[in-house]
């Protein structure tokens, strides 16, 4: 579930977005958008044809950075 900070990261006019994009790039933004749409990391990995184990580190960073919270 996205936090307010996570929603700011998706809003292109915020400084949070710029910092997030610099750190995680378009792939990170795409993953955060997918989480905002309710997709699980496993569903995103299938849709994006990626590896689930690679997303684990991103999820941990997103939680630690306050962008998402564990549900």
């Amino acid at each position: 579930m996205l936090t307010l900070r996570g929603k700011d990261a998706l809003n292109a006019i915020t400084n949070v977005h710029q910092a997030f994009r610099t750190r995680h790039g378009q792939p990170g933004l795409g993953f955060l958008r997918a989480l905002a749409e309710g997709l699980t990391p496993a569903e995103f990995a299938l849709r994006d044809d990626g590896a689930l184990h690679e997303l684990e580190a991103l999820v941990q960073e997103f939680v630690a950075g306050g962008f998402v919270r564990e549900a």
Side-chain angles (χ1 to χ4, degrees):
M1 175 175 277
L2 286 185
T3 63
L4 183 57
R5 183 172 172 80
K7 290 176 185 176
D8 284 347
L10 294 177
N11 185 342
I13 64 170
T14 66
N15 291 335
V16 175
H17 172 81
Q18 296 302 322
F20 186 91
R21 189 168 140 217
T22 298
R23 178 164 177 88
H24 300 290
Q26 278 306 123
L29 281 168
F31 182 42
L32 189 63
R33 251 185 223 101
L35 294 174
E37 293 170 3
L39 270 80
T40 67
E43 291 167 331
F44 178 78
L46 284 172
R47 184 179 83 174
D48 198 51
D49 204 25
L52 181 58
H53 69 274
E54 293 175 2
L55 296 177
E56 288 180 46
L58 274 180
V59 170
Q60 291 174 358
E61 278 190 54
F62 291 177
V63 170
F67 299 104
V68 297
R69 61 185 160 131
E70 296 182 53

